[in-house]
Amino acid sequence: MPTTDDSIILQCGDCLELLKNVESDSVSLIMTSPPYAQRRKNSYGGVKASEYVEWFLPIGRELFRVLKPTGSMVVCIKEHVENGERHTYVIDLIKALRSISFFWTDEYLWVKSNSMPGRWPNRLRDGWERLLHFNKQKHFAMFQEAVMLPRKPNTAKRVRHLSENDCRRMASKTGSTFGKNMSRWKDREMVFPSNVLILSTETRNRGHSAVFPERLPEFFVKLFTLPGDLVLDPFAGAGTTGVVCKRLGRRFLGMDIVPGFIDLARERIFSLS
């Protein structure tokens, strides 16, 4: 049975079936991390890499249908290594989602500042994951001012004493087309972030094997939604996106096929004051 407080709804079941009951063009942001290929076998069955696109595409069609024309979908996902090389199922998935009219707008990188140590014979340890950003169209809702960051101390120091050249656009001396006007930074206290997010992984035991830190969905909830907007996570897991939505005043619809994860998400979200 769904659990709800009007703004937060949690549903247990196969998201492909549950999504059919969601109104078309109603979701402002889909923020999710689906089970990776051949991972989480005990929880989700472990979809084979060779069958991943075939498994995800029907879900993708429903996600496209429920997403607002101005909405965004952010998918956190990472390829595994098979027979000594990276598998291409994520690349294949991107192409498949484009084939059903998703617009692949951007790719964000989550750099893990505390990634697990280790050594492999033909590669270095994984220290990042992909966050694929899709839309229905080229123009969509985006609120960049909501995620601005304080400018770095060295920038503040640099603009205290500007030369004549600093007050006009100076082309790079390397011969590239890059140029900058340092005077434009003089009165800026806040700057726009890049598409590289440096965040530590979740280290507290949440009863789920792949919990991402709250700051990860928080960034995208702020960037792509306003208070009162509906955020969907069809693979809600431990409910981290729901926790963020509850705190930021967004409506949340979370789905998961594992009853225990829905119970965990309910406990986390509804324990917030």
Side-chain angles (χ1 to χ4, degrees), residues 22-42:
V22 179
E23 182 181 352
S24 298
D25 302 330
S26 63
V27 175
S28 295
L29 171 64
I30 300 166
M31 178 71 214
T32 194
S33 182
Y36 299 178
Q38 298 178 196
R39 295 293 186 270
R40 320 302 172 204
K41 292 183 179 181
N42 292 336

Side-chain angles (χ1 to χ4, degrees), residues 91-250:
I91 297 172
D92 297 335
L93 179 62
I94 294 170
K95 295 170 66 176
L97 290 174
R98 292 183 70 243
S99 75
I100 61 171
S101 299
F102 267 112
F103 194 90
W104 185 30
T105 304
D106 201 1
E107 180 172 10
Y108 294 76
L109 291 185
W110 168 24
V111 176
K112 301 177 180 180
S113 58
N114 63 338
S115 58
M116 292 294 292
R119 183 182 183 279
W120 293 264
N122 65 339
R123 62 188 178 92
L124 300 179
R125 65 176 175 171
D126 277 346
W128 58 274
E129 291 195 30
R130 295 172 178 262
L131 290 134
L132 307 174
H133 176 205
F134 296 94
N135 298 94
K136 278 189 169 182
Q137 59 188 27
K138 184 177 180 180
H139 300 290
F140 54 90
M142 189 176 191
F143 310 99
Q144 297 187 33
E145 292 78 7
V147 294
M148 293 182 78
L149 302 170
R151 67 180 180 181
K152 296 180 180 179
N154 61 334
T155 301
K157 182 178 180 180
R158 173 72 175 81
V159 297
R160 286 174 189 162
H161 305 287
L162 296 172
S163 67
E164 181 180 345
N165 286 338
D166 289 332
C167 296
R168 59 188 180 91
R169 186 182 186 279
M170 290 291 293
S172 172
K173 295 180 180 180
T174 64
S176 70
T177 58
F178 178 77
K180 60 182 177 180
N181 182 339
M182 286 300 300
S183 65
R184 294 180 177 177
W185 293 84
K186 186 173 182 179
D187 298 318
R188 291 186 182 180
E189 297 298 327
M190 304 291 287
V191 298
F192 293 108
S194 74
N195 58 2
V196 177
L197 309 177
I198 303 175
L199 303 171
S200 60
T201 59
E202 177 61 72
T203 57
R204 290 172 290 178
N205 183 8
R206 296 291 191 186
H208 189 284
S209 57
V211 178
F212 47 46
E214 291 181 15
R215 287 176 59 197
L216 190 66
E218 179 179 317
F219 178 86
F220 294 103
V221 169
K222 288 181 176 179
L223 182 59
F224 296 127
T225 71
L226 294 173
D229 284 344
L230 177 60
V231 177
L232 165 68
D233 188 347
F235 304 97
T240 303
T241 300
V243 169
V244 170
C245 289
K246 177 78 170 178
R247 190 173 68 244
L248 297 180
R250 274 65 166 177

